[in-house]
Amino acid sequence: MKKTLALSLLISVLLCGCAVNAPVEREIFAMDTVMMLRVWGNESDAAAAVAEINRLDALLSVTNENSEIFALNRDGEAELSMETYDLLVKAVAVSRRTEGAFDPTVYPLVEAWGFTHDAQAVPAQDEINEALALVGYEQLENHLDVTCLSIDGMLDFGGIAKGYTARKVVDLLQERGVDTAFLNLGGNVQTLGSKPDGEAWTVGIADPENPSQAIGCLRFTGSLALVTSGGYQRYFEENGVRYHHILDPKTGYPAQSGLASVTVLAKDGALADGLSTALFVMGMEEASALWRASDDFEVVFITQDGIIFATEGAASLLTDCEFTVIKR
Ligand code: AMP
Ligand code: MG
């Protein structure tokens, strides 16, 4: 089922227009999702990009028994490579900015709900309480100056790793002399440069009610990360109630913020990814307040009623739909 959902997620991001030079294309399954790469370079550039994704998957995965994160979650402590440490610092920065709506220590809750092993079920309240006692990014704050981390809880970079990876891949491609690329890592879109034919990149935002269809399009040029978090992306149903995978670290339950999806645009992929998860938890009012106090991201919100709202910067890129502009 996971594969089907991931595939529909991928299909939901629609590309329009043709490039002058044909890119090298790759489709792979990594980080528990379908990924699509278009690299305006040669075969070895595309191969290097795929290798980089697989390398980071092995480093950051909660389920890969050889990963640093797996060792940390099993033993309560682990030596972190500089790279994992770097992502940890970025993740904690997002946690601070969002007052814990994004929390990389959420893993005990993710496990309690069974989202890791595809054995989803509503946990007993006792189980949720036990997991909640282990959740709190504050426990990481004291460890940010050392690379050996010991924590009581467990880490999950699932809400930020794909955006981080997308950014690392375009950095690598750039180092190899590639000027143009389009990556869709399971709904985490990252562009590098502008299309060779001079046309804008056009990326569809999935309709939460019908994810294989676009509800609107974002058109832009240049390098940008564009990440969507939505309750429709992974969920299960029990007794006629839908429970999705984005958890509120304060309640221990799937976030109920009135939103169906949040799409964040930012220069940095990790920031866009972490924020998309956090803003979904926070809801539109709190998320808009954070946007007003910031200058490094833009947002498109879709409410559970199907109404679209866009912050000023996102509104200037949004086409093919009706929406309300959120002003500074
Ligand atoms: P995303 O699709 O980027 O919104 O990330 C969702 C994934 O992040 C989930 O499948 C969990 O692994 C993890 N996650 C769920 N809730 C949170 C949260 N509040 N903060 C950080 N990570 C979360
Ligand atoms: Mg995210």
Side-chain angles (χ1 to χ4, degrees):
M1 186 187 89
K2 260 195 301 193
K3 280 192 186 176
T4 321
L5 275 178
L7 192 64
S8 68
L9 185 70
L10 182 67
I11 293 165
S12 72
V13 179
L14 307 175
L15 270 172
C16 320
C18 312
V20 173
N21 307 312
V24 181
E25 300 196 10
R26 289 282 179 281
E27 191 171 301
I28 61 166
F29 191 82
M31 298 188 170
D32 220 12
T33 192
V34 179
M35 299 186 169
M36 192 275 290
L37 296 80
R38 289 182 175 182
V39 178
W40 278 262
N42 56 36
E43 291 285 335
S44 67
D45 295 322
V50 169
E52 179 70 349
I53 291 171
N54 289 329
R55 186 183 70 78
L56 288 167
D57 192 5
L59 195 67
L60 303 172
S61 160
V62 282
T63 50
N64 183 327
E65 295 188 8
N66 299 315
S67 82
E68 287 179 16
I69 301 304
F70 188 91
L72 178 71
N73 290 346
R74 182 193 54 211
D75 304 335
E77 64 173 30
E79 292 262 339
L80 299 189
S81 61
M82 284 314 289
E83 209 159 25
T84 307
Y85 177 73
D86 177 40
L87 179 54
L88 185 67
V89 171
K90 285 181 192 290
V92 171
V94 178
S95 299
R96 281 200 198 114
R97 275 182 83 173
T98 63
E99 294 176 7
F102 177 84
D103 193 323
T105 67
V106 77
Y107 193 58
L109 282 171
V110 174
E111 271 213 312
W113 284 89
F115 282 111
T116 312
H117 302 290
D118 249 353
Q120 296 103 331
V122 180
Q125 189 61 46
D126 280 358
E127 211 184 324
I128 291 181
N129 293 346
E130 269 173 44
L132 271 175
L134 296 170
V135 175
Y137 72 94
E138 297 85 355
Q139 64 189 293
L140 302 170
E141 303 247 48
N142 299 331
H143 298 275
L144 288 180
D145 53 350
V146 288
T147 49
C148 179
L149 180 63
S150 69
I151 56 171
D152 292 333
M154 293 190 278
L155 281 189
D156 177 7
F157 284 141
I160 195 168
K162 291 196 285 287
Y164 178 74
T165 299
R167 178 59 194 260
K168 296 285 282 190
V169 170
V170 294
D171 286 351
L172 176 92
L173 288 171
Q174 230 173 347
E175 278 166 27
R176 295 177 62 93
V178 173
D179 295 327
T180 311
F182 180 98
L183 313 177
N184 179 7
L185 311 190
N188 283 243
V189 169
Q190 172 83 57
T191 59
L192 168 63
S194 292
K195 283 169 73 175
D197 61 4
E199 295 281 310
W201 297 113
T202 305
V203 179
I205 298 178
D207 178 352
E209 290 297 315
N210 189 3
S212 61
Q213 301 289 317
I215 203 170
C217 275
L218 286 159
R219 294 177 201 274
F220 57 93
T221 52
S223 304
L224 197 64
L226 196 152
V227 180
T228 299
S229 285
Y232 63 88
Q233 291 172 341
R234 189 166 292 182
Y235 63 86
F236 67 94
E237 282 177 356
E238 197 172 294
N239 297 327
V241 181
R242 194 186 266 205
Y243 299 92
H244 61 72
H245 69 310
I246 303 174
L247 304 173
D248 183 338
K250 294 195 173 63
T251 64
Y253 275 79
Q256 298 284 355
S257 63
L259 293 173
S261 80
V262 173
T263 299
V264 174
L265 294 81
K267 288 280 170 218
D268 184 65
L271 179 69
D273 194 358
L275 279 179
S276 71
T277 309
L279 303 190
F280 184 91
V281 173
M282 291 161 80
M284 201 163 67
E285 210 168 303
E286 238 188 279
S288 301
L290 178 63
W291 169 74
R292 287 194 181 94
S294 310
D295 61 2
D296 53 357
F297 68 92
E298 300 292 335
V299 196
V300 178
F301 300 99
I302 303 177
T303 67
Q304 274 174 347
D305 304 328
I307 302 169
I308 306 174
F309 292 84
T311 58
E312 281 173 348
S316 63
L317 310 176
L318 190 56
T319 61
D320 305 301
C321 62
E322 286 184 13
F323 58 88
T324 303
V325 181
I326 299 174
K327 300 214 161 99
R328 289 248 173 232

